[in-house]
Amino acid sequence: MNDDSLALARRGLRRSATFDPATIHDIQRAAATGIYDIRGGGAKRALPHFDDLLFLGASMSRYPLEGYRERCGTDVVLGGRNAAYPLHLAIPVTIAGMSFGALSGRAKEALGRGASEAGTSTTSGDGGMTPEERGQSKHLVYQYLPSRYGMNPDDLRKADAIEVVLGQGAKPGGGGMLLGQKISERVAGMRTLPQGIDQRSACRHPDWTGPDDLTIKIAELREITGWEKPIYVKVGASRPYYDVKLAVHAGADVVVVDGMQGGTAATQDVFIENVGIPTLAAIPQAVRALQELGVHRRPDGVQLVVSGGIRSGADVAKALALGADAVAIGTAALVALGDNDPRWDADYRAIGSAAGYYDDYQDGRDPAGISTQDEELAARFDPVEGGRRLANYLRVLTMEAQTIARACGKAHVTHLEPEDLVALTLEAAAMARVPLAGTDWVPGQGR
């Protein structure tokens, strides 16, 4: 408590839990401007998350693996159900879709460099495929979005997999935004848009209205690519049990479920904070759907990739233990590249933010040169150094997950299972469907 807060408390004044300073500021801003707030990043409210779970490491009743002598595998194969060439990745951590437009060309290049060095995939994002990212990515997943910005069959064929995007965790049911200051000549040309004019992506695909149409679209994409590429379907976590089942029936090789802690370049703040469900709650529902269809963790099955708030190797290991085959990172990848770095704090403060708080990605004024189309700012960012930093981060995530898996006696990180977990809170126990620590009780499942 600072001196001012202490003085106010001595006068008997206290803050309202309902109308806290941030809430009061939002009301005052809305009253002054008459428009809703737009920002990037993910949900800022406290949500049940992976921190509410703990692993049960081996002691007497379980036998751990020796880290210096016994192997713990990390490789994963995605898309072997129908594709002639599934993705063989060295690690179970991938890079989520982030568009050229939201990010600079140099940032996209760095994502490709870092992912390739670590042996994993990156994803194009909205707006099309850039030569920088394709040229540096050993494995590139091409996103097929409702906007169709930058989409062409040649790039579909150049990709290593195709991800049909139906929703994002930060905004399931909503479309994205790219403000005019980021619609440069190059971005406008790739997206067939007027330069400098605000763009809002569609919230649904223009050529289908339901799962039957998705089946037809997946068949079209397979025909275009000669049945070579895995087809992903990405959904924002809201009704994952039903969405995953429909995606599998439609022919998906891989399903991506993005929880509400997932980030975005720009959308309404009210959407980010109030739509969707936490990643922790989404995984067990998605896994149950795959298990009931008989396609979970089978060689000819459908893989589950989970995204939304993955930060550490512990998060990776917990997602895998709950049933994911791999995870995807977005916001964490940007931080690893150098976004929100303290060395740019003075520049962040000059535009009304601070290092560690910057989420105005839509403004295109990122001092780190990552989420911008300003050539002068983008020139600050070194894609080679950024790629090296990202690769280092991916290696650390993988080693941390391996360390936990070995402690639980597992010879592969995907051998982790719900039996290895307990929860610290009733909410996490109920959502993750694992026992409350110190008990054998899972809320909602009796004794």
Side-chain angles (χ1 to χ4, degrees):
M1 184 178 291
N2 59 36
D3 292 343
D4 184 57
S5 298
L6 185 61
L8 293 173
R10 285 173 175 165
R11 292 168 55 190
L13 302 176
R14 60 177 179 168
R15 299 193 186 280
S16 167
T18 305
F19 290 90
D20 60 13
T23 301
I24 291 173
H25 174 271
D26 287 345
I27 294 171
Q28 292 169 337
R29 183 205 54 75
T33 64
I35 58 175
Y36 51 66
D37 190 25
I38 297 173
R39 67 172 177 87
K44 294 185 177 182
R45 64 191 299 174
L47 294 166
H49 200 37
F50 295 116
D51 290 340
D52 297 320
L53 301 180
L54 296 174
F55 278 101
L56 299 174
S59 52
M60 178 67 75
S61 59
R62 296 293 186 274
Y63 194 72
L65 298 186
E66 174 54 65
Y68 293 102
R69 293 185 290 111
E70 294 177 290
R71 178 176 173 79
C72 179
T74 63
D75 59 304
V76 61
V77 178
L78 301 179
R81 184 188 188 201
N82 294 296
Y85 302 110
L87 297 190
H88 293 258
L89 306 181
I91 63 175
V93 187
T94 69
I95 306 301
M98 294 177 279
S99 74
F100 171 66
L103 304 185
S104 67
R106 286 169 173 252
K108 294 295 287 178
E109 177 185 340
L111 292 174
R113 287 179 178 274
S116 297
E117 187 175 335
T120 191
S121 64
T122 187
T123 310
S124 67
D126 204 351
M129 180 186 293
T130 63
E132 296 98 324
E133 189 171 30
R134 176 64 280 185
Q136 298 299 331
S137 299
K138 181 179 179 181
H139 305 290
L140 178 61
V141 181
Y142 186 88
Q143 283 195 328
Y144 187 83
L145 292 107
S147 70
R148 300 290 198 274
Y149 290 140
M151 200 289 292
N152 68 71
D154 288 336
D155 286 344
L156 287 174
R157 297 185 185 99
K158 292 176 186 176
D160 301 293
I162 298 166
E163 182 173 285
V164 181
V165 179
L166 304 184
Q168 280 184 251
K171 51 192 178 190
M177 298 181 182
L178 191 63
L179 299 190
Q181 55 263 43
K182 296 180 80 171
I183 309 289
S184 65
E185 182 178 359
R186 184 183 177 193
V187 172
M190 288 181 63
R191 300 190 182 212
T192 319
L193 291 169
Q195 185 176 345
I197 303 298
D198 292 354
Q199 165 264 307
R200 181 167 181 170
S201 298
C203 65
R204 67 185 190 194
H205 288 258
D207 51 358
W208 78 70
T209 57
D212 291 340
D213 294 330
L214 176 58
T215 304
I216 296 170
K217 181 55 65 177
I218 288 177
E220 289 178 357
L221 293 172
R222 290 200 195 283
E223 289 295 325
I224 290 171
T225 58
W227 287 75
E228 294 181 347
K229 322 290 185 181
I231 306 295
Y232 298 20
V233 172
K234 179 177 180 178
V235 297
S238 53
R239 296 178 176 86
Y241 174 77
Y242 299 105
D243 291 342
V244 169
K245 279 201 166 184
L246 290 170
V248 173
H249 282 302
D253 299 307
V254 178
V255 179
V256 182
V257 176
D258 192 22
M260 71 177 291
Q261 289 99 323
T264 181
T267 197
Q268 301 97 316
D269 179 74
V270 69
F271 230 123
I272 296 174
E273 299 291 351
N274 296 283
V275 181
I277 65 174
T279 306
L280 189 64
I283 302 174
Q285 292 188 42
V287 170
R288 181 162 65 98
L290 295 174
Q291 289 172 336
E292 290 180 2
L293 294 173
V295 295
H296 183 245
R297 296 246 169 114
R298 295 172 58 94
D300 59 346
V302 174
Q303 287 76 52
L304 174 65
V305 177
V306 168
S307 55
I310 304 292
R311 308 151 299 175
S312 67
D315 290 347
V316 175
K318 290 169 185 178
L320 298 180
L322 289 174
D325 296 286
V327 303
I329 60 171
T331 302
L334 298 185
V335 174
L337 292 184
D339 217 358
N340 272 281
D341 193 288
R343 66 177 171 150
W344 301 114
D345 187 58
D347 296 76
Y348 282 119
R349 290 182 183 275
I351 59 174
S353 187
Y357 293 87
Y358 180 71
D359 56 19
D360 292 325
Y361 302 121
Q362 75 281 359
D363 284 350
R365 298 185 292 164
D366 183 7
I370 293 172
S371 60
T372 183
Q373 296 303 314
D374 182 287
E375 292 183 4
E376 184 175 337
L377 291 175
R380 294 180 173 185
F381 180 71
D382 180 353
V384 176
E385 171 65 12
R388 184 192 65 81
R389 289 173 57 92
L390 176 60
N392 283 343
Y393 174 59
L394 290 169
R395 291 190 190 99
V396 170
L397 292 183
T398 305
M399 289 189 291
E400 288 177 340
Q402 279 180 300
T403 298
I404 290 172
R406 285 193 177 100
C408 294
K410 311 296 183 179
H412 198 285
V413 290
T414 57
H415 294 172
L416 289 164
E417 56 191 326
E419 192 270 343
D420 296 314
L421 295 169
V422 293
L424 291 174
T425 65
L426 289 173
E427 291 87 353
M431 290 180 182
R433 300 177 187 174
V434 299
L436 192 65
T439 78
D440 58 2
W441 176 54
V442 179
Q445 295 186 12
R447 299 188 65 82

